[in-house]
Amino acid sequence: MSIPSRIIWAAMLWVLLRPACGFAAGIDTEHIYGFMIGSDVGDPGEREFQTTSTGRFSKQAGAYQALGQELELEFVPIKNLRIEIETTLAAYDIQSVPGLVDRTQAGWQGAALDLRYQFLDRETALFGLTLDFESHGNRIDETTASRVQNFGNELTVVLERDLIPRLAVATFNLGYQPEWTHFAGLPTAEQESTLTAAFGVMAQVRPDFLLGGEARYFRQYGGIGLNELAGEAFFVGPTAYFQLSDRARLTATWSFQAWGRPAGTSATLDLVNFERQQARVVFGLNF
């Protein structure tokens, strides 16, 4: 059993064995999802340190493993506004994958700035509404591990509503991500864009343990204006959230590609533009 798996199982056992109490508090959705985001942004004055470990595995042939480690600082300077600064380390093991150069390497990948503003709070409105804008720059390509100059933005609209007050919540994410990438040694830059629609549901099994799942659909295009469809994929999988203490939390999620198709083919999975499996573990600490 891997070290992340041991941590997840130990956290789950610890949570389940703790004495239960009533569901007096509502669900704070800021960190309960792995790949998605909730509409809550935290209270003014909150500060958090967070580590996000992401693994992406398996392509159409050969061996493909990509691991990312994000280190993040989050601040809530005023009501409804959250600011996040992050830096990312990445490691790759690529062997005999069609269209990719064999690589085994690790290094600093890039940095990002994330701004999140909550327009509507589902506690006082019909639904929660939050807008998230992230801007990032990378020196290592996320898929090929090649040396690049990459710049991209991601705009996400979050809609959220309680299914059962204090017990279950449903969240919808709609995202658009344009990217500009210049590969070292090539005369021109490439442009691409991705549309994302995601739906998640989390239920409070105990006051400090939530369980649910995330379903995500991607459409990837050549060009930043959604010019030409390159491929599409649908991922689905379970998510668990553990409140370890008053200050510490852990989120664990795993997704597999249930359906996909590269443009112009009849394949049932898109393993050219996407991976077969994705996993994420997020640990956060208030300070």
Side-chain angles (χ1 to χ4, degrees):
M1 185 181 292
S2 64
I3 292 177
S5 298
R6 292 176 183 174
I7 294 173
I8 294 170
W9 281 109
M12 182 178 294
L13 182 61
W14 179 81
V15 168
L16 292 176
L17 291 178
R18 289 184 64 189
C21 56
F23 297 98
I27 298 175
D28 184 344
T29 64
E30 183 181 2
H31 299 293
I32 63 173
Y33 293 104
F35 293 104
M36 295 175 55
I37 59 176
S39 68
D40 291 333
V41 297
D43 298 322
E46 279 190 358
R47 299 176 300 174
E48 294 182 287
F49 170 74
Q50 178 172 289
T51 67
T52 301
S53 304
T54 304
R56 297 177 288 114
F57 311 100
S58 187
K59 287 285 192 178
Q60 63 269 42
Y64 183 88
Q65 298 182 69
L67 303 175
Q69 182 64 60
E70 298 177 10
L71 305 176
E72 307 156 46
L73 288 175
E74 301 174 0
F75 308 90
V76 185
I78 59 174
K79 185 179 180 180
N80 299 328
L81 176 65
R82 196 192 81 164
I83 301 173
E84 178 182 301
I85 303 170
E86 64 183 62
T87 187
T88 303
L89 307 174
Y92 293 85
D93 184 10
I94 305 173
Q95 303 294 330
S96 303
V97 177
L100 301 183
V101 176
D102 290 357
R103 300 179 190 273
T104 301
Q105 66 182 51
W108 177 65
Q109 184 173 44
L113 173 65
D114 184 282
L115 304 175
R116 192 175 302 180
Y117 190 85
Q118 184 181 54
F119 288 91
L120 296 175
D121 187 341
R122 72 183 190 284
E123 296 290 333
T124 56
L126 184 62
F127 55 85
L129 173 62
T130 295
L131 186 65
D132 181 80
F133 177 78
E134 180 196 85
S135 183
H136 62 264
N138 292 325
R139 58 188 291 273
I140 297 175
D141 184 63
E142 185 179 39
T143 301
T144 67
S146 302
R147 183 65 62 88
V148 297
Q149 293 178 336
N150 165 268
F151 174 74
N153 298 311
E154 183 169 5
L155 182 65
T156 304
V157 178
V158 184
L159 295 172
E160 194 165 71
R161 182 172 172 81
D162 285 337
L163 297 177
I164 305 174
R166 299 189 299 277
L167 288 179
V169 64
T171 307
F172 177 73
N173 287 184
L174 182 63
Y176 166 63
Q177 181 178 353
E179 289 200 318
W180 297 261
T181 304
H182 180 260
F183 289 86
L186 296 182
T188 58
E190 296 183 1
Q191 298 180 4
E192 66 178 20
S193 53
T194 305
L195 283 181
T196 307
F199 179 74
V201 174
M202 296 292 285
Q204 189 165 202
V205 180
R206 297 168 60 93
D208 40 22
F209 176 41
L210 281 76
L211 189 63
E214 303 174 42
R216 298 172 295 140
Y217 173 67
F218 298 89
R219 291 178 66 89
Q220 186 164 311
Y221 295 85
I224 61 173
L226 311 178
N227 304 71
E228 182 179 353
L229 181 65
E232 52 187 331
F234 176 71
F235 287 82
V236 63
T239 299
Y241 172 84
F242 311 92
Q243 188 67 45
L244 303 177
S245 70
D246 291 340
R247 294 182 176 272
R249 55 180 167 79
L250 181 74
T251 307
T253 187
W254 167 72
S255 289
F256 66 93
Q257 189 179 154
W259 178 87
R261 181 180 60 188
T265 75
S266 58
T268 56
L269 294 176
D270 184 354
L271 300 178
V272 176
N273 301 291
F274 304 94
E275 303 79 32
R276 185 183 296 273
Q277 299 187 57
Q278 300 176 350
R280 176 169 287 179
V281 176
V282 184
F283 175 76
L285 187 67
N286 291 357
F287 64 94

